[in-house]
Amino acid sequence: MKIGVLASQGSFAEHIAILKKLGVESVAVRLPEDLEGVNGLIIPGGESTTISKMMAHYQLTDIIKDRAKNGLPIWGTCAGMIMLADEVPDSTVEPLGLMKIAVRRNAFGRQKESFETKLAISELGKKPFPAVFIRAPLIEGIIGDVEVLARLDDGTVVAARQGKLLVSSFHPELTDDLRFHRYFLGMVTSENKAN
């Protein structure tokens, strides 16, 4: 199994480090040819406007859309969630439009409003998951058949799945808890068995 991590900008090195801890081969994706042979893709947190522009500049947008439509599992964390969304009410970002969610950028405020909390995520077991929110987006609308995986205490949706697509508002790559990465790898393995 080989996992690609979009390396245009943002916290890609942290995801690659966790994949290494889990003994999984990874590749930093900067150009379309870097996607050859990958079984799954992570779009990391960072600055979504920059990620959007870099993806367009390096001609990654259409190939990622095509691979997703052909079953490539993709996980978007923070800015990555924005990129996977169908609707983003911000003209500076051109999302991939793959997942039937509406996402609001910087929904919790500026950097100083960043916070950590523990989330109940039944798919990861009984132990709460440590979630790090940094200038995080939130899911403010679900348009299609999307499974909610986690909510804040006030009901705000912060993690979801639609088939082979996974999103989280927070940054699992900034914790020592590897369960969210294992969950995504399980999605990838399941996809590989199906093919």
Side-chain angles (χ1 to χ4, degrees):
M1 174 169 42
K2 182 165 78 172
I3 303 298
V5 182
L6 188 71
S8 302
Q9 191 263 348
S11 59
F12 60 89
E14 289 82 354
H15 279 290
I16 289 173
I18 288 184
L19 293 169
K20 187 175 182 182
K21 277 186 190 175
L22 292 169
V24 175
E25 182 184 0
S26 63
V27 60
V29 173
R30 295 183 175 89
L31 299 170
E33 52 264 38
D34 297 328
L35 287 166
E36 291 177 13
V38 303
N39 306 106
L41 176 68
I42 297 174
I43 303 178
E47 212 296 303
S48 55
T49 303
T50 303
I51 292 174
S52 174
K53 288 178 180 173
M54 295 294 281
M55 285 175 64
H57 180 76
Y58 288 103
Q59 300 178 328
L60 284 162
T61 306
D62 289 341
I63 190 169
I64 290 174
K65 283 183 184 177
D66 288 345
R67 291 290 307 272
K69 288 173 183 170
N70 285 303
L72 181 72
I74 303 179
W75 175 20
T77 63
C78 195
M81 179 168 96
I82 296 168
M83 293 309 304
L84 286 182
D86 197 48
E87 293 181 9
V88 178
D90 188 322
S91 61
T92 65
V93 177
E94 186 173 341
L96 294 165
L98 293 170
M99 194 161 171
K100 298 299 180 187
I101 54 175
V103 170
R104 180 157 44 103
R105 299 175 68 211
N106 301 328
F108 299 95
R110 297 179 171 274
Q111 189 91 9
K112 64 181 182 181
E113 275 84 47
S114 299
F115 64 99
E116 295 183 33
T117 190
K118 293 193 182 290
L119 294 174
I121 305 176
S122 62
E123 285 76 3
L124 304 185
K126 292 182 179 177
K127 183 181 171 187
F129 188 83
V132 179
F133 290 80
I134 302 171
R135 295 181 62 207
L138 64 77
I139 298 172
E140 60 182 3
I142 291 176
I143 305 158
D145 186 18
V146 175
E147 176 188 5
V148 173
L149 299 180
R151 296 177 185 269
L152 295 176
D153 289 342
D154 65 2
T156 301
V157 178
V158 291
R161 177 177 175 176
Q162 177 190 302
K164 301 170 189 75
L165 303 174
L166 177 68
V167 292
S168 57
S169 296
F170 47 90
H171 291 266
E173 76 281 10
L174 299 182
T175 76
D176 294 327
D177 194 321
L178 308 181
R179 287 178 294 162
F180 221 106
H181 284 78
R182 285 196 182 104
Y183 179 76
F184 178 64
L185 295 175
M187 289 170 55
V188 175
T189 303
S190 172
E191 172 61 21
N192 287 340
K193 286 178 182 171
N195 287 333

